[in-house]
Structures are given as structure tokens and as C-alpha cells.
Amino acid sequence: MEDIDIWRAAEQMRTLYGEDAGIEAGVRADKALHQGDIVGCKVWKRIVDAIGELERKAPKAGEAVN
């Protein structure tokens, strides 16, 4: 899955689930893993990470700010 698709999915999850988007994406990652869908699990984990990036309020330590 392309990066742009991950970001689109993350934004869609935020639209649908609001502040619970990360939790819902995590649940889907776990479900995929339990079903033996390793690729699907990895995709959902990338979406969880993207949601976290979209929701963070401050730069990471040492990160440049424009």
C-alpha cells in the first residue's frame, strides 16, 4: 500500500471515529493478526502510526520546526 493511501485511510478513520480512530485502527490490526493476515496487520499498524502523527501536538525531540 502506498504512503498516500495510508495517510488517506488515517484521515478517513479520524473522520469516522474521531478521537477513537487510533483505537479502532489498532483493533483492526489485532483482528487481522488473529486471522493470520500479516500483511493486513502491518497496513493497519501503519495507519495507527499515521493517525498518531496527525494527532500529535508538538514536534518530536530534536525535530526541526519550520
Side-chain angles (χ1 to χ4, degrees):
M1 189 169 213
E2 300 289 328
D3 285 344
I4 189 68
D5 296 321
I6 296 296
W7 290 105
R8 286 179 181 147
E11 191 57 44
Q12 183 68 24
M13 292 295 288
R14 290 179 68 213
T15 298
L16 292 172
Y17 296 99
E19 64 185 36
D20 293 332
I23 295 168
E24 180 64 27
V27 166
R28 292 179 187 209
D30 288 344
K31 184 176 180 180
L33 181 62
H34 285 94
Q35 293 175 342
D37 182 3
I38 303 303
V39 173
C41 179
K42 288 180 180 181
V43 168
W44 279 108
K45 286 185 176 187
R46 288 176 63 199
I47 294 168
V48 169
D49 291 343
I51 291 168
E53 284 296 306
L54 290 170
E55 292 179 344
R56 77 179 163 108
K57 305 287 188 231
K60 294 177 183 176
E63 185 177 45
V65 179
N66 294 331

